[in-house]
Amino acid sequence: MEIFTDLNEIAAPFSRAHVTIGNFDGVHLGHQMLFDLVVTRARQNKGTSIAVTFDPHPLKVLSPQGIRLISTTPQKIELIGRAGIDVLVIIPFTREMAMTTANEFVDKVLLGRLGMRDLVVGYDYAMGKGRRGDTAFLRQQGEEKGFSVMVMPAHYEQDKLVSSSRIRELVAAGKMGDVRRLLGRWYQIRGDVQWGRQRGGRQLGFPTANLYLSEEDLCPKRGVYVTQVIYDGRQYGGVSNIGYNPTFGDTSLVAETHIFDFNADIYGRPLKINLLRHLRGEIAFDGIDALSRQIRRDIEVARKVLAKEQQRRLIAYHRNSEA
């Protein structure tokens, strides 16, 4: 997949450009259907499949409260690449960009820069200043300017609307099974392993890999999770505590993960953690012994959950696995 992060990098319009555009936060099942359709239509017409998105998310710029994102930009790029898209255009979003009218965006960007012949958007998509470029506007533009427009209807899974906002609510509630059904994969946190307070292995007997989290980002419900850990192309089972570790009175938000059947120095190395099930909330224990006993119980339950999910083929443990 070819990636452009500046419209000026595009030297000439693409051949038979088939385009979809959106924020694509989470790259959920609805987004994946958009990509599948664009890729199929482009191949049928010997054209170029193109996804257009923005960085940062427009609401990060326009809303005082911002937005808590499901996926980071690197995750989004990775997931869109898996969909088979030929070209990804990431447009820097600024307040100046927000003043661009829908007409200007169609003429200067979609037609002028990309050479768009075909456009696929979701049922609720709108572009341009004041979001005035809705699907009715786009259809009208297509008739006037000679490009086709297809609008994808809302997608439902088990009678639940697949949407980024709904997924954010489910993540915050710790409902990871429901999140997986709407994403089409497990919800994942990732980062480089950081030095912690060295309590896990030395005091508790359960060494942990620590990823520090920002409260400005989307944070899963605090507590203990059954997890699938991806490190260096291999998958491992694990149990993670996301929170502030109230037993020790910590103040940093951290995901502490005990990785099963694992013994390696991974400080500073990248780690991906899939959250499978929320087991319990955070508890302030009377001391280290009580906490250690509870961790043993958590590990026992987690191993059973992992075995069950492996039987259902929802997780696997083998080399060179996709995360």
Side-chain angles (χ1 to χ4, degrees):
M1 182 175 72
E2 195 171 7
I3 301 172
F4 295 90
T5 57
D6 186 335
L7 290 171
N8 292 321
E9 296 172 351
I10 302 172
F14 297 96
S15 173
R16 298 183 181 87
H18 291 252
V19 177
T20 185
I21 181 169
N23 293 311
F24 306 130
D25 184 31
V27 192
H28 57 57
L29 288 177
H31 298 145
Q32 293 168 41
M33 293 175 69
L34 283 173
F35 299 141
D36 287 345
L37 184 57
V38 170
V39 169
T40 298
R41 290 165 74 91
R43 288 175 180 170
Q44 288 173 344
N45 293 285
K46 297 182 180 179
T48 306
S49 58
I50 303 173
V52 178
T53 191
F54 303 92
D55 185 44
H57 191 292
L59 289 180
K60 284 282 190 182
V61 176
L62 299 176
S63 172
Q65 293 78 29
I67 187 173
R68 298 177 186 271
L69 299 178
I70 302 165
S71 55
T72 63
T73 296
Q75 280 178 298
K76 186 161 68 171
I77 292 171
E78 181 181 307
L79 292 164
I80 292 174
R82 289 186 198 171
I85 291 289
D86 295 319
V87 175
L88 174 61
V89 179
I90 305 174
I91 299 176
F93 193 87
T94 62
R95 288 193 174 274
E96 290 73 22
M97 169 61 69
M99 298 303 292
T100 303
T101 67
N103 270 303
E104 289 173 327
F105 194 86
V106 170
D107 291 342
K108 294 181 179 180
V109 178
L110 299 181
L111 296 177
R113 286 286 183 180
L114 305 184
M116 182 179 67
R117 298 271 193 92
D118 182 85
L119 176 64
V120 178
V121 293
Y123 70 100
D124 58 349
Y125 184 71
M127 67 168 65
K129 182 180 178 181
R131 290 178 55 84
R132 292 175 183 171
D134 58 13
T135 55
F137 166 85
L138 292 171
R139 285 191 169 111
Q140 181 184 17
Q141 289 283 293
E143 291 176 3
E144 294 176 1
K145 298 173 180 177
F147 60 89
S148 57
V149 178
M150 175 171 284
V151 178
M152 290 282 289
H155 179 63
Y156 292 83
E157 288 287 328
Q158 297 182 355
D159 297 324
K160 294 179 180 178
L161 175 66
V162 178
S163 72
S164 298
S165 57
R166 176 60 178 154
I167 291 167
R168 292 184 198 105
E169 293 172 359
L170 292 170
V171 170
K175 297 182 178 180
M176 293 304 157
D178 290 335
V179 171
R180 185 192 65 80
R181 280 187 284 274
L182 301 192
L183 283 179
R185 65 184 184 281
W186 298 107
Y187 177 75
Q188 185 178 95
I189 58 176
R190 55 172 67 180
D192 293 338
V193 178
Q194 303 294 315
W195 287 94
R197 297 182 182 275
Q198 304 297 300
R199 287 188 297 244
R202 188 176 63 246
Q203 293 181 262
L204 295 170
F206 303 101
T208 61
N210 300 324
L211 302 183
Y212 284 91
L213 307 177
S214 170
E215 294 194 50
E216 294 182 359
D217 296 332
L218 178 62
C219 183
K221 181 179 180 179
R222 295 201 295 270
V224 175
Y225 288 82
V226 180
T227 51
Q228 177 190 36
V229 182
I230 298 96
Y231 173 71
D232 195 25
R234 297 196 65 182
Q235 299 179 6
Y236 303 86
V239 62
S240 300
N241 182 78
I242 296 177
Y244 297 93
N245 207 330
T247 300
F248 296 99
D250 292 348
T251 57
S252 297
L253 182 61
V254 63
E256 298 177 281
T257 301
H258 175 63
I259 308 172
F260 301 160
D261 311 311
F262 183 84
N263 183 22
D265 182 355
I266 58 174
Y267 289 112
R269 300 294 300 275
L271 202 67
K272 300 176 182 178
I273 301 173
N274 292 337
L275 304 185
L276 275 60
R277 184 184 298 182
H278 184 265
L279 289 183
R280 63 174 176 82
E282 277 196 303
I283 301 172
F285 291 92
D286 293 335
I288 290 176
D289 290 342
L291 175 57
S292 183
R293 287 194 297 271
Q294 182 60 55
I295 292 173
R296 288 192 180 89
R297 288 192 288 268
D298 293 337
I299 290 172
E300 183 179 347
V301 174
R303 287 189 180 276
K304 292 177 181 178
V305 171
L306 288 162
K308 182 178 179 180
E309 297 295 1
Q310 191 170 13
Q311 288 177 349
R312 296 171 63 198
R313 299 187 178 181
L314 293 180
I315 60 171
Y317 299 99
H318 52 79
R319 290 184 182 274
N320 300 321
S321 56
E322 284 194 349

